[in-house]
C-alpha cells in the first residue's frame, strides 16, 4: 500500500564531459489511462476508507477490536497482493498484521496484551503512512503520477487515502490506549 514511491531520476545520465548518453534504459512515460485492475484498485482506496469510517462512526464502544481486525486484515491482504504482484518493497502485511494480531487478542480474551499490540500496530501503520505522506504531500500530483507511473487522478486519490489512513490509525491507537 505504501511502497509505490520508488525514487526515479527524471534527467538523462551524463558522462564526464557532461553529455547525455543512451546507455541506460529509457523511463516509461506516465500512462494516460489506468488498466481496469488499476482502476478497481484505485476505487478501493476511497471505498475502503469510507466503509471503515462509517463502521467507526456507527459502532458501539466495545466493537473497536472487531472493526480494527476487519480493517487491518483487509489492508494486510491488499499488501500481500501488492507484494505478490511485484512490489517487493511492500511491508504493509507486517504493520497491518501487527494491528490485526492485537485486535484478535482483544477479541479472544486478552484485552490488555491485545490493546498493547494493537497500539503498536496502529503506530506502525500510521507512522508508515505519515512518512510517505510527508514525502509526497507537497508534490504536484503530476510528479507523483510520473514517479508512480499512474495518472494524475490516481495520485490525488492516493494522497487522500494516505491522509485518511493516517488519521484512522491515530483513532485506532487512541481507542485501544484508552480502552484498558
Amino acid at each position: 500500500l505504501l511502497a509505490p514511491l520508488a525514487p526515479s531520476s527524471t534527467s538523462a545520465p551524463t558522462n564526464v564531459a557532461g553529455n547525455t548518453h543512451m546507455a541506460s534504459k529509457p523511463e516509461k512515460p506516465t500512462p494516460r489511462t489506468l488498466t481496469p485492475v488499476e482502476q478497481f484498485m484505485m476505487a478501493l482506496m476511497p471505498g475502503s476508507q469510507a466503509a471503515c469510517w462509517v463502521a467507526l462512526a456507527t459502532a458501539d464502544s466495545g466493537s473497536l477490536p472487531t472493526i480494527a481486525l476487519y480493517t487491518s486484515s483487509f489492508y494486510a491482504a491488499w499488501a500481500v497482493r501488492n507484494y505478490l504482484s511485484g512490489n517487493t518493497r511492500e511491508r504493509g502485511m507486517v504493520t497491518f498484521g501487527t494491528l490485526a494480531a492485537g485486535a484478535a487478542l482483544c477479541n479472544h480474551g486478552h484485552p490488555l496484551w491485545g490493546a498493547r499490540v494493537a497500539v503498536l500496530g496502529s503506530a506502525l501503520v500510521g507512522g508508515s503512512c505519515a512518512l510517505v505522506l510527508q514525502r509526497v504531500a507537497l508534490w504536484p500530483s503530476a510528479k507523483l503520477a510520473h514517479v508512480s507511473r499512474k495518472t494524475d487522478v490516481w495520485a490525488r486519490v492516493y494522497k487522500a487515502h494516505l491522509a485518511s489512513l493516517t488519521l484512522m490509525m491515530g483513532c485506532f491507537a487512541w481507542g485501544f490506549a484508552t480502552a484498558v
Side-chain angles (χ1 to χ4, degrees):
L1 292 175
L2 304 177
L5 302 175
S8 86
S9 171
T10 57
S11 61
T14 57
N15 61 16
V16 176
N19 301 322
T20 60
H21 57 86
M22 301 301 289
S24 66
K25 67 180 185 181
E27 288 187 28
K28 290 182 184 177
T30 302
R32 295 177 189 246
T33 60
L34 298 173
T35 67
V37 170
E38 290 171 325
Q39 290 175 6
F40 176 74
M41 298 306 287
M42 181 180 72
L44 275 180
M45 287 189 260
S48 62
Q49 282 297 290
C52 293
W53 282 110
V54 167
L56 275 175
T58 60
D60 60 32
S61 61
S63 60
L64 179 65
T66 301
I67 294 168
L69 178 61
Y70 290 155
T71 300
S72 56
S73 296
F74 172 79
Y75 285 119
W78 191 341
V80 169
R81 179 241 177 239
N82 288 346
Y83 184 81
L84 294 176
S85 296
N87 186 349
T88 57
R89 293 175 39 153
E90 177 68 75
R91 295 294 180 264
M93 66 288 269
V94 175
T95 57
F96 282 109
T98 303
L99 175 54
L105 283 169
C106 285
N107 280 341
H108 291 93
H110 303 284
L112 181 61
W113 281 104
R116 289 175 178 169
V117 173
V119 168
L120 173 63
S122 299
L124 290 171
V125 173
S128 297
C129 291
L131 285 173
V132 174
L133 187 60
Q134 178 210 7
R135 179 175 175 196
V136 302
L138 298 179
W139 286 4
S141 295
K143 178 177 178 177
L144 178 57
H146 174 76
V147 169
S148 300
R149 296 186 175 107
K150 305 285 185 190
T151 63
D152 187 65
V153 171
W154 178 93
R156 292 170 195 235
V157 169
Y158 182 72
K159 285 181 184 184
H161 177 72
L162 283 176
S164 178
L165 197 54
T166 302
L167 182 59
M168 181 176 293
M169 290 304 117
C171 292
F172 280 169
W174 177 259
F176 281 110
T178 58
V180 203

